[in-house]
Amino acid sequence: MKLHEYQSKQILSKYGVPIPAGRVAATAAEAKQIAEELGGRVVIKSQVLVGGRGKAGGVRLARSAREVEELAAEILGMEIKGLPVRKVLVDEAANIETEIYLGITNDRSARKPVMMASAAGGVDIEDVARETPEKIVKVHIDPLLGLRDYQARDLAAGIDLPRNHWRSFGQIASALWQAYLNCDATLVEINPLVITAEGRLLAVDGKMIIDDNALFRHSDLAEMRDLDIEADAEIEARKYGLSYIKLDGAIGCMVNGAGLAMTTMDIIKLFGGEPANFLDIGGGASADKVKAALRIILADPNVKSVLLNVFGGITRGDEVARGILSALSEVKTSVPMVVRLVGTKAEEGRQILADANLITAESLVDAARKAIAAAHGA
Ligand code: GDP
Ligand code: MN
């Protein structure tokens, strides 16, 4: 499980890593308020679970509170590598002189954690690793002994860190190791760890990945999971022009039209059920869209029945029915399907579906009741 930068930095800070003052915001107005509280120059940083935000324009320095609002609004409207930005971190800006890389991960072939440091930290660290790997210094950590002081000094010397920073560097390296160990992380990374103009070491960025298999013993970390971002299905849905929002219920919904989709969810709830999702397949339910929508709905293990509510105006019911059957022939499932179909040639459509052993309904109330019953295995 990946943690956001602001979460990672908060954890690292508890272990003694110096981080800039700052807070996370979900709106531009909130970002502005945080900037005013901080005073001075701030940096606005998109919180998305991918690297390379800086290069994508997701990390911006602001000079005034007014600029904070503009930039935050801009960043909050962005998508970075397909992920929507829903939060920004507003941090006191650092006066950066040098950018260092410092991280720990598992070296599987050495069967030990490895701590890595480089004087060439910052946004191009991947290029450094590929083109000039000698600029990355490594020490392997014996898990029983932990990180030894001399190892941290070896790293400091290896990256030609000025002597006056060694003490602070040692503390940061040790904090990083403790965080890695205690959180059952598979990666802990500060990139960049900067030397500021004021002569301090400061973790400007932070990244942590927690071993999913260890989450059972870290309920505090498990709670940090970003459900928003983890919903891959929403990204998949967007590819097919479907609007899909995952919810927690057992009844999958596939509806043509956003308003009708909302109504369908309301009716399901009215009769005591819980929708598993919101899904609008838009007008003209083509077999391809129905197929994609079915795949997405059925990928949710909570789904115990699916309610297809198609209100055909000009769209012909028999064509919709054939579309559904063609989709079902490819997306095999044992989850019961309830189809409510009205509009042109709806009779014919329902007949085709009934012949194929699908549950059909004429009214939405009838459909909702049948879908709820089917979800309960009735
Ligand atoms: P990433 O691109 O996703 O790794 O995001 P980072 O948080 O590492 O930011 C990218 C780059 O933005 C850093 O390498 C810095 O060069 C720059 N940056 C980030 N925060 C600050 C800051 O407070 N002040 C200045 N001057 N630059 C910053
Ligand atoms: Mn970074």
Side-chain angles (χ1 to χ4, degrees), residues 42-374:
V42 296
V43 58
I44 306 173
K45 315 184 72 179
S46 52
Q47 298 299 290
V48 281
L49 297 173
V50 286
R53 296 165 305 159
K55 284 188 175 169
V59 176
R60 306 278 295 273
L61 283 161
R63 279 166 310 225
S64 63
R66 191 205 162 105
E67 204 182 14
V68 168
E69 203 167 7
E70 278 169 24
L71 288 176
E74 197 180 307
I75 293 175
L76 283 166
M78 280 174 71
E79 257 186 26
I80 297 179
K81 298 181 185 171
L83 297 177
V85 179
R86 303 209 209 262
K87 285 186 183 137
V88 290
L89 174 63
V90 182
D91 263 0
E92 216 165 57
N95 298 314
I96 300 178
E97 294 218 315
T98 309
E99 302 199 10
I100 295 165
Y101 173 93
L102 185 65
I104 311 178
T105 189
N106 277 332
D107 183 343
R108 286 169 187 273
S109 49
R111 286 178 285 174
K112 277 178 189 162
V114 60
M115 183 176 266
M116 296 166 287
S118 176
V123 296
D124 292 320
I125 193 68
E126 274 85 13
D127 298 339
V128 175
R130 198 170 46 242
E131 287 155 25
T132 46
E134 69 281 0
K135 287 192 182 161
I136 298 176
V137 192
K138 300 179 180 178
V139 294
H140 284 96
I141 303 172
D142 183 314
L144 297 178
L145 295 175
L147 180 76
R148 316 300 292 169
D149 289 348
Y150 76 85
Q151 294 184 301
R153 284 196 295 275
D154 277 354
L155 288 176
I159 62 168
D160 290 325
L161 185 72
R163 279 271 176 176
N164 56 316
H165 296 299
W166 281 28
R167 197 182 143 82
S168 170
F169 182 84
Q171 281 163 357
I172 292 169
S174 151
L176 208 63
W177 163 249
Q178 281 307 321
Y180 181 84
L181 186 68
N182 293 356
C183 298
D184 285 313
T186 56
L187 177 83
V188 178
E189 188 179 88
I190 305 174
N191 185 37
L193 172 66
V194 306
I195 304 179
T196 66
E198 298 78 25
R200 279 206 321 142
L201 287 185
L202 188 68
V204 157
D205 190 10
K207 179 173 178 184
M208 291 184 75
I209 302 178
I210 311 296
D211 185 346
D212 283 320
N213 298 307
L215 282 177
F216 74 95
R217 56 184 187 190
H218 297 287
S219 54
D220 51 333
L221 297 177
E223 270 174 22
M224 293 184 177
R225 187 184 285 280
D226 187 341
L227 291 172
D228 252 8
I229 306 295
E230 301 249 326
D232 282 349
E234 296 186 17
I235 297 163
E236 175 76 6
R238 211 166 325 130
K239 268 202 316 224
Y240 290 94
L242 308 165
S243 321
Y244 171 89
I245 314 265
K246 190 187 162 343
L247 301 166
D248 296 323
I251 300 170
C253 302
M254 189 191 310
V255 188
N256 66 332
L260 190 58
M262 303 280 270
T263 310
T264 306
M265 290 158 63
D266 281 349
I267 299 282
I268 288 172
K269 286 173 90 93
L270 185 66
F271 288 98
E274 283 293 338
N277 64 276
F278 167 93
L279 195 156
D280 170 17
I281 47 172
S286 72
D288 269 347
K289 272 194 168 184
V290 174
K291 220 179 292 172
L294 264 182
R295 253 203 326 269
I296 290 164
I297 291 174
L298 294 171
D300 177 355
N302 294 335
V303 170
K304 298 288 178 282
S305 72
V306 178
L307 170 47
L308 286 93
N309 186 10
V310 181
F311 195 89
I314 302 167
T315 317
R316 280 175 43 185
D318 53 343
E319 279 179 5
V320 171
R322 284 195 198 93
I324 292 169
L325 292 187
S326 136
L328 276 174
S329 69
E330 283 184 40
V331 187
K332 299 260 187 310
T333 179
S334 55
V335 171
M337 302 278 156
V338 180
V339 187
R340 182 233 181 178
L341 188 57
V342 286
T344 315
K345 300 227 177 204
E347 282 280 14
E348 287 89 321
R350 278 198 296 274
Q351 195 53 53
I352 292 169
L353 294 169
D355 290 344
N357 286 326
L358 271 73
I359 306 165
T360 61
E362 207 171 325
S363 75
L364 181 48
V365 166
D366 188 25
R369 284 191 168 132
K370 283 176 172 163
I372 293 166

